[in-house]
């Protein structure tokens, strides 16, 4: 049996590990932000399911369902860059509150239409791109806020926790929406989304107002837009990381699109198993998030990127080739883990490599990765009908691995990406900005306390 001393040491280690995993929650500003983010993305995950169900109920057509998705996403290449410029020019707290309030109003309208049974397909066809446009302004602001809410040594931890919250909402959101649909009118489910967006708005009202403006220079909107493009094209590391950010959804989205086909045709299971497949994918993601909360210890970020990418690609290939359910579920868990390791490392290094005044514009480009989904939908659908899901996903996985080999093989910048652990900063950016506004410290002292002068 373990001695009292060994038990005490074990308990102390577990407590210390737990505190390290949750270290960003020591920052009050991040905790407030996390609460608002969780409420907003829970509403988002419910909306994605409900909207598709309502569209299909109204039209009874997979074609119209696809059209509604494409119309919604089509605005992103225009609205996402604009959202990035605005996020850099204005106070990010104000931008979040205004956009989330608009989302609340929009869903209040949809809720009334659904509850009164007056909703029509064209209503959703119009409101979907409107919501995506609003979302295009919310996301760059949300992503750009995270680095200013925590001291620099907690950046990866904060991004991991934020990603963990979003992943949990993607798991429980559809389940909540399904329960509400089972026991009540769809309008009640839309009312729940409206309330969640309202909670996010009220939560973000409590965020600090100082330190939320990135670009303080008075330049024209067009100059800011050009400046963002010039900055990305002129920064080799940022450009490569953004390019890598497009690869993952381009090649992994077909897996989610084809999941129901694998469940039915490859494994001969009922649709109820689809929930288990998606659950295992989510569990793998959560394990990856837990591991990434301490990833700042790993200095060779290029190796971490390669690990996440290649693990995802190889596991996808194994999933495509197997007919064993247990092995397939195991591979899905590994896919979820690999995607998270790659995604969080990629996002953290983008954030670490850019200046504060460029955060909104650079992070808005990461949103454009969503717009590559339609590129994968059509060819994968045609190939699946012609050759079957297994061969189609196998080729997709091989192409993904080949793309990763080319990316890392020809780019020493990514392959040898190395980040030495920075010194611990005493304050976050918003904490220092608050003290500057109160006249308690100078701008120079703030730069030292936040580590910006290092």
């Amino acid at each position: 049996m373990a001695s009292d001393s060994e038990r005490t040491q074990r308990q102390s280690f577990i407590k210390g590990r737990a505190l390290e995993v949750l270290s960003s929650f020591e920052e009050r500003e991040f905790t407030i932000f996390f609460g608002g983010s969780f409420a907003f993305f829970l509403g988002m995950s419910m909306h994605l399911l409900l909207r598709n169900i309502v569209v299909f109920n109204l039209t009874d057509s997979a074609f119209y369902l696809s059209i509604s998705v494409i119309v919604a996403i089509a605005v992103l290449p225009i609205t996402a860059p604009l959202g990035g410029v605005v996020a850099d020019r204005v106070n990010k707290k104000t931008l979040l509150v205004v956009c989330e309030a608009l989302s609340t109003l929009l869903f209040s309208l949809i809720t009334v239409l659904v509850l009164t049974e007056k909703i029509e397909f064209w209503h959703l066809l119009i409101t979907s791109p409107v919501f995506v446009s609003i979302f295009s302004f919310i996301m760059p602001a949300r992503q750009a806020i995270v680095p200013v809410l925590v001291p620099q040594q907690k950046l990866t931890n904060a991004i991991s926790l934020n990603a963990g919250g979003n992943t949990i909402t993607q798991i429980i959101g559809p389940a909540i929406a399904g329960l509400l649909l089972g026991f009540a009118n769809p309008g009640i489910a839309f009312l729940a989304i409206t309330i969640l967006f309202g909670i996010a708005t009220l939560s973000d009202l409590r965020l600090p107002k100082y330190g939320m403006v990135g670009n303080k220079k008075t330049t024209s909107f067009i100059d800011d837009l050009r400046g963002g493009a010039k900055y990305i094209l002129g920064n080799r590391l940022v450009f490569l990381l953004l390019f890598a950010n497009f690869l993952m959804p381009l090649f992994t989205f077909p897996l989610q699109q084809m999941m129901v086909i694998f469940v039915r045709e490859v494994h001969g299971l009922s649709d109820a198993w689809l929930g288990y497949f998606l659950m295992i994918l989510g569990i793998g993601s959560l394990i990856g998030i837990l591991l990434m909360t301490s990833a700042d210890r790993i200095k060779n970020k290029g190796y971490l990127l390669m690990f996440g990418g290649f693990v995802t690609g190889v596991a996808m290939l194994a999933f495509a080739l197997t007919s064993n359910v247990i092995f397939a579920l195991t591979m899905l868990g590994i896919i979820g883990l690999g995607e998270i390791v790659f995604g969080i490392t990629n996002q953290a290094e983008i954030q670490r490599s850019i200046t504060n005044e460029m955060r909104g514009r650079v992070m808005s480009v990461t949103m454009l990765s969503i717009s590559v989904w339609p590129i994968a939908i059509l060819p994968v659908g045609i190939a699946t009908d012609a050759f079957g899901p297994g061969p189609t996903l196998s080729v997709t996985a091989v192409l993904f691995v080949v793309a990763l080999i080319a990316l890392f093989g020809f780019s020493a910048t990514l392959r040898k990406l190395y980040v030495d652990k920075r010194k611990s900063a005493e304050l976050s950016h918003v904490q220092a900005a608050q003290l500057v506004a109160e006249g308690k410290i100078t701008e120079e002292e703030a730069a030292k306390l936040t580590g910006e002068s290092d």
Side-chain angles (χ1 to χ4, degrees):
M1 293 180 65
S3 66
D4 290 343
S5 175
E6 289 173 333
R7 268 196 300 270
T8 302
Q9 289 178 350
R10 191 183 304 117
Q11 291 171 353
S12 178
F13 172 79
I14 293 173
K15 183 179 179 181
R17 183 73 182 93
L19 289 174
E20 182 182 1
V21 168
L22 303 174
S23 61
S24 290
F25 287 127
E26 296 172 347
E27 312 300 326
R28 176 180 175 273
E29 297 84 3
F30 176 78
T31 304
I32 293 171
F33 172 82
F34 181 89
S37 186
F38 190 89
F40 181 80
F41 283 104
L42 183 58
M44 274 286 297
S45 63
M46 292 173 63
H47 155 253
L48 292 173
L49 175 67
L50 288 169
R51 180 187 164 283
N52 288 345
I53 289 174
V54 172
V55 168
F56 194 75
N57 287 343
L58 290 171
T59 64
D60 195 28
S61 168
F63 172 75
Y64 283 118
L65 181 59
S66 299
I67 289 296
S68 68
V69 173
I70 292 173
V71 167
I73 295 176
V75 301
L76 272 178
I78 298 172
T79 58
L82 297 179
V85 173
V86 173
D88 282 334
R89 291 173 69 92
V90 305
N91 188 294
K92 296 176 183 62
K93 171 189 173 179
T94 305
L95 181 60
L96 277 182
V97 170
V98 170
C99 289
E100 286 165 354
L102 289 173
S103 300
T104 306
L105 289 173
L106 181 65
F107 273 82
S108 297
L109 173 62
I110 296 173
T111 299
V112 171
L113 289 172
V114 176
L115 282 173
T116 57
E117 298 183 354
K118 293 182 179 179
I119 189 75
E120 296 183 23
F121 174 62
W122 69 268
H123 292 143
L124 295 172
L125 200 64
I126 293 174
T127 56
S128 291
V130 171
F131 178 62
V132 170
S133 298
I134 296 172
F135 183 66
S136 300
F137 288 81
I138 291 175
M139 274 306 290
R142 280 211 166 275
Q143 291 176 307
I145 280 178
V146 175
V148 303
L149 297 177
V150 297
Q152 59 184 9
Q153 70 272 14
K154 295 182 180 181
L155 176 59
T156 304
N157 179 268
I159 291 174
S160 299
L161 290 174
N162 197 45
N166 294 347
T167 301
I168 291 172
T169 65
Q170 291 168 19
I171 295 172
I172 68 174
I176 295 172
L179 286 173
L180 290 174
L181 284 174
F183 294 102
N185 184 291
I188 301 300
F190 276 102
L191 178 61
I193 295 173
T194 304
I195 292 171
L196 285 168
F197 286 166
I199 291 172
T201 306
L202 294 174
S203 177
D204 288 335
L205 272 171
R206 299 171 60 211
L207 287 170
K209 65 178 180 179
Y210 296 107
M212 290 291 188
V213 181
N215 185 14
K216 298 178 182 179
K217 298 177 182 178
T218 54
T219 55
S220 71
F221 195 92
I222 298 298
D223 285 341
D224 278 356
L225 196 59
R226 290 173 180 167
K230 185 178 180 181
Y231 180 84
I232 291 169
L233 293 174
N235 189 320
R236 180 174 174 79
L237 175 59
V238 172
F239 177 81
L240 288 170
L241 287 169
L242 288 172
F243 180 77
N245 182 67
F246 276 78
L247 286 181
M248 184 65 77
L250 180 63
F251 288 102
T252 60
F253 179 69
L255 172 62
Q256 297 183 37
Q257 180 190 355
M258 299 163 62
M259 191 78 75
V260 65
I261 303 176
F262 273 94
V263 170
R264 291 178 182 176
E265 298 183 7
V266 176
H267 299 289
L269 301 170
S270 67
D271 287 353
W273 276 82
L274 180 61
Y276 296 116
F277 275 59
L278 294 174
M279 182 181 69
I280 294 298
L281 189 65
I283 289 173
S285 299
L286 289 175
I287 293 172
I289 288 164
L290 185 63
L291 295 174
M292 289 301 294
T293 55
S294 301
D296 271 331
R297 295 178 176 181
I298 302 173
K299 299 179 180 180
N300 294 297
K301 304 301 183 183
Y303 292 161
L304 206 54
L305 272 174
M306 286 191 286
F307 172 80
F310 285 114
V311 161
T312 301
V314 172
M316 274 180 59
L317 180 60
F319 174 83
L321 295 174
T322 187
S323 58
N324 183 284
V325 176
I326 301 300
F327 184 72
L329 289 171
T330 303
M331 290 302 102
L332 279 178
I334 294 174
I335 290 169
L337 186 149
E339 286 179 332
I340 284 296
V341 171
F342 185 92
I344 289 179
T345 303
N346 181 277
Q347 187 178 146
E349 297 319 308
I350 290 174
Q351 293 274 30
R352 212 189 304 271
S353 304
I354 58 181
T355 57
N356 193 41
E357 61 268 17
M358 285 287 177
R359 288 194 192 281
R361 279 166 283 182
V362 173
M363 299 314 295
S364 69
V365 177
T366 65
M367 273 196 66
L368 292 175
S369 62
I370 301 174
S371 63
V372 305
W373 291 358
I375 298 174
I377 289 175
L378 187 59
V380 166
I382 294 172
T384 301
D385 287 340
F387 306 107
T392 300
L393 189 62
S394 297
V395 171
T396 303
V398 169
L399 289 174
F400 181 41
V401 171
V402 170
L404 289 172
I405 292 172
L407 178 65
F408 289 107
F410 290 104
S411 175
T413 304
L414 280 186
R415 190 174 62 252
K416 297 180 179 180
L417 180 58
Y418 184 93
V419 179
D420 198 359
K421 190 172 183 180
R422 294 184 178 185
K423 294 185 293 184
S424 295
E426 295 184 41
L427 298 175
S428 68
H429 186 79
V430 293
Q431 290 168 344
Q434 176 72 38
L435 294 176
V436 171
E438 294 172 354
K440 295 180 179 179
I441 61 174
T442 64
E443 292 278 2
E444 292 74 18
E445 289 172 328
K448 290 180 180 179
L449 292 170
T450 58
E452 290 183 14
S453 60
D454 292 342

